[in-house]
């Protein structure tokens, strides 16, 4: 265990409340669909409100509200609503609620990814409640590389069975697989780690594990699980093939020239279609793979929230960029610009602007626009700067002149 700070109790509580706002009957946030909320209990008797594992069919009535001013107040309301049954809440994709929180997670894993490469990307999950065990019981996240859990409030116990230990004992693996919620008979083979507020817990992804509260005390934790990256060649290949075939068929078979079902398709038509598709696929797949790697390298594979619509760039703002989060490369007659995992396209002539931004110097917005508006329309430059700022590769800094240097934050030469 290490001491580590990711968020205060008040911050985390506010983000969880925001994530639980406007949730549908499946637990999806209607405003941010990549956020998923699950509420569970361990009912003593059959209750139609819950599935077999204790997950609520429709979680909305059980979720935190603005009127629940703290975890303690929310716990008190839930205990009344649930007639004393212990409960838990799991929020997937919490980083999408707050841009600053997302940046903290990214900074936390940056050194890890610098050493190991982008072979795994972070999934951010919040856990809270006073449950005696999570609804899922003992399980292994087979696709995880590593799991880091920050204990923000209360105390949290993790019970662990090492991956090699379970793999070497078929009876143990069978027991944990078949009775995940009734794992105590196998506790002899487990180890426990207890975390206090401000401590960081770690376990390898291959380990079987289950979370437990200590002495029925409510807790809040944030897990950063490193899972396989979204960059998978089969998905990219499928998308590229689909795109190429659509265009190829349109070229091979102009309007009213496509073969009819009655006559069948001749071998020359098949050969021509394949030849054209294979010829075009090489370039298409290369472009898609390059774009995905740029996205992964600038976002570490994370999905990021956009900045608040109220946080806009103004002419007199002093800005700087982080070159780690902003990359570009030529793509035919255009320039592919990737900012924190978001791919943008602009005129190839904008490269001078991007080169200036990637120096990490401080710039005054209107002076930077004027510097490059000689060859390009000022409005197009302003739109691109707004996009880059909304994703977070450009940030405002405090400066009275635009001749300083800002390499990783608001620093001055």
């Amino acid at each position: 265990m290490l001491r580590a700070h990711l968020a205060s109790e008040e911050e985390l509580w506010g983000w969880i409340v925001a994530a639980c706002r406007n949730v549908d009957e499946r637990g999806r946030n209607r405003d941010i669909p990549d956020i998923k909320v699950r509420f569970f209990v361990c009912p003593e008797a059959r209750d139609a409100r819950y599935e077999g594992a204790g997950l609520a069919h429709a979680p909305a009535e059980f979720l935190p509200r603005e009127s629940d001013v703290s975890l303690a107040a929310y716990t008190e309301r839930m205990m009344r609503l649930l007639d004393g049954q212990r409960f838990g809440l799991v929020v997937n994709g919490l980083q999408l609620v707050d841009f600053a929180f997302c940046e903290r997670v990214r900074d936390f894993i940056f050194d890890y990814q610098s050493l190991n490469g982008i072979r795994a990307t972070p999934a951010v999950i919040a856990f809270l409640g006073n449950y005696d065990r999570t609804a899922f019981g003992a399980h292994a996240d087979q696709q995880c590389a590593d799991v880091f859990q920050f204990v923000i409030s209360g105390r949290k116990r993790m019970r662990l069975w090492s991956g090699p230990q379970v793999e070497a004992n078929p009876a143990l693996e069978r027991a944990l697989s078949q009775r995940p919620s009734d794992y105590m008979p196998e506790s002899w083979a487990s180890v426990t780690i207890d975390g206090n507020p401000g401590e960081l817990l770690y376990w390898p992804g291959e380990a079987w594990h289950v979370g437990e509260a200590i002495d029925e005390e409510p807790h809040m934790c944030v897990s950063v699980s490193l899972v396989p990256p979204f960059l998978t060649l089969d998905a990219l290949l499928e998308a590229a093939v689909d795109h190429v075939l659509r265009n190829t068929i349109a070229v091979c078979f102009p309007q009213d020239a496509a073969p009819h079902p009655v006559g069948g398709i001749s071998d020359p038509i098949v050969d021509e279609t394949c030849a054209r598709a294979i010829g075009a696929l090489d370039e298409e797949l290369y472009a898609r793979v390059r774009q995905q790697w740029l996205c992964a390298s600038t976002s570490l594979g994370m999905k990021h929230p956009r900045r608040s619509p109220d946080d806009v760039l103004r002419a007199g703002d002093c800005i700087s960029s982080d070159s780690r989060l902003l990359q570009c490369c030529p793509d035919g007659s255009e320039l592919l610009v990737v900012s924190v995992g978001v791919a943008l396209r602009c005129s190839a002539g904008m490269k001078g602007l991007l080169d200036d931004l990637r120096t990490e110097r401080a710039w005054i917005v209107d002076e930077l626009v004027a510097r490059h508006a000689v060859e390009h329309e000022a409005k197009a430059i302003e739109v691109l700067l707004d996009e880059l700022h909304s994703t977070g590769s450009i940030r405002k800094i405090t400066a009275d002149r635009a001749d300083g240097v800002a390499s990783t934050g608001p620093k001055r030469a």
Side-chain angles (χ1 to χ4, degrees):
M1 289 183 291
L2 300 171
R3 299 292 297 181
H5 176 78
L6 188 68
S8 68
E9 182 176 352
E10 293 75 16
E11 286 176 321
L12 181 57
W13 177 251
W15 296 331
I16 289 174
V17 170
C20 293
R21 196 179 294 130
N22 198 18
V23 167
D24 65 20
E25 65 282 355
R26 300 172 301 158
R28 296 281 183 183
N29 187 301
R30 293 184 178 90
D31 301 318
I32 314 173
D34 286 319
I35 291 178
K36 183 178 181 180
V37 178
R38 291 170 288 173
F39 182 90
F40 65 89
V41 298
C42 297
E44 297 176 357
R46 183 170 179 79
D47 190 325
R49 294 177 295 179
Y50 310 108
E51 299 172 5
L55 287 169
H57 289 293
E61 70 170 306
F62 305 110
L63 302 184
R65 308 167 182 166
E66 282 82 356
S67 56
D68 299 317
V69 295
S70 65
L71 174 62
Y74 170 63
T75 301
E76 183 178 347
R77 180 169 70 86
M78 285 297 100
M79 295 301 282
R80 291 197 304 269
L81 180 63
L82 300 170
D83 297 325
Q85 294 182 110
R86 293 161 71 175
F87 69 94
L89 182 69
V90 182
V91 182
N92 291 73
L94 187 69
Q95 82 279 4
L96 295 172
V97 170
D98 185 84
F99 190 91
F101 176 53
C102 190
E103 287 190 311
R104 291 184 204 175
V105 174
R106 186 183 64 219
D107 290 342
F108 167 69
I109 65 168
F110 181 78
D111 288 338
Y112 176 99
Q113 302 240 17
S114 297
L115 292 171
N116 297 287
I118 306 173
R119 290 181 170 84
T121 60
V124 183
I125 310 170
F127 295 85
L128 68 84
N130 62 356
Y131 48 86
D132 58 346
R133 65 180 186 275
T134 49
F136 332 110
H139 63 284
D141 299 321
Q142 301 290 351
Q143 303 207 345
C144 277
D146 296 284
V147 182
F148 301 91
Q149 187 168 99
F150 296 83
V151 183
I152 307 299
S153 173
R155 294 186 297 160
K156 177 70 177 288
R157 172 173 295 153
M158 294 302 304
R159 186 178 298 276
L160 307 169
W161 295 261
S162 79
Q165 175 191 22
V166 175
E167 187 176 345
N169 189 334
L172 176 60
E173 183 173 15
R174 186 164 52 251
L176 293 175
S177 300
Q178 294 177 353
R179 297 180 286 102
S181 295
D182 184 21
Y183 55 82
M184 286 310 294
E186 281 64 55
S187 62
W188 59 270
S190 69
V191 297
T192 59
I193 50 176
D194 293 351
N196 297 305
E199 291 182 337
L200 172 63
L201 315 182
Y202 163 82
W203 61 91
E206 64 185 11
W208 286 70
H209 58 278
V210 63
E212 303 172 345
I214 300 176
D215 299 329
E216 301 189 23
E217 178 185 354
H219 66 269
M220 285 194 301
C221 299
V222 174
S223 283
V224 179
S225 301
L226 294 166
V227 298
F230 62 84
L231 189 146
T232 56
L233 192 59
D234 56 343
L236 293 175
L237 182 59
E238 182 179 351
V241 168
D242 180 72
H243 182 261
V244 165
L245 284 179
R246 288 176 186 275
N247 291 343
T248 301
I249 290 173
V251 171
C252 287
F253 306 125
Q255 190 173 7
D256 299 328
H260 295 278
V262 176
I265 302 176
S266 65
D267 287 343
I269 290 178
V270 174
D271 292 344
E272 182 183 1
T273 305
C274 288
R276 287 175 178 265
I278 292 171
L281 185 58
D282 179 59
E283 182 177 346
E284 177 71 20
L285 184 59
Y286 176 84
R288 287 180 181 270
V289 170
R290 180 179 58 187
Q291 177 174 323
Q292 289 293 295
W293 273 120
L294 284 173
C295 288
S297 65
T298 58
S299 71
L300 306 185
M302 292 178 67
K303 291 186 176 180
H304 279 60
R306 291 291 186 108
R307 289 192 186 278
S308 165
D310 298 328
D311 185 9
V312 297
L313 281 182
R314 304 186 188 283
D317 287 337
C318 190
I319 60 173
S320 180
S321 73
D322 185 334
S323 61
R324 298 177 306 172
L325 311 180
L326 176 62
Q327 300 206 24
C328 64
C329 65
D331 191 13
S333 62
E334 297 183 311
L335 189 67
L336 176 64
V337 181
V338 180
S339 171
V340 196
V342 177
L344 309 168
R345 292 185 181 278
C346 64
S347 164
M350 290 282 194
K351 189 171 187 307
L353 170 67
L354 273 296
D355 288 343
D356 276 350
L357 289 171
R358 284 179 50 78
T359 63
E360 301 189 352
R361 280 189 54 191
W363 299 93
I364 301 297
V365 171
D366 53 354
E367 293 178 5
L368 184 62
V369 172
R371 176 183 173 91
H372 294 277
V374 177
E375 298 181 17
H376 300 282
E377 182 187 356
K379 184 62 178 177
I381 297 174
E382 292 170 358
V383 169
L384 181 59
L385 292 176
D386 283 336
E387 284 283 347
L388 299 178
H389 173 257
S390 72
T391 60
S393 62
I394 285 180
R395 63 191 68 199
K396 299 176 187 177
I397 62 174
T398 303
D400 30 349
R401 294 183 58 194
D403 57 358
V405 175
S407 58
T408 57
K411 299 189 294 185
R412 298 288 294 164

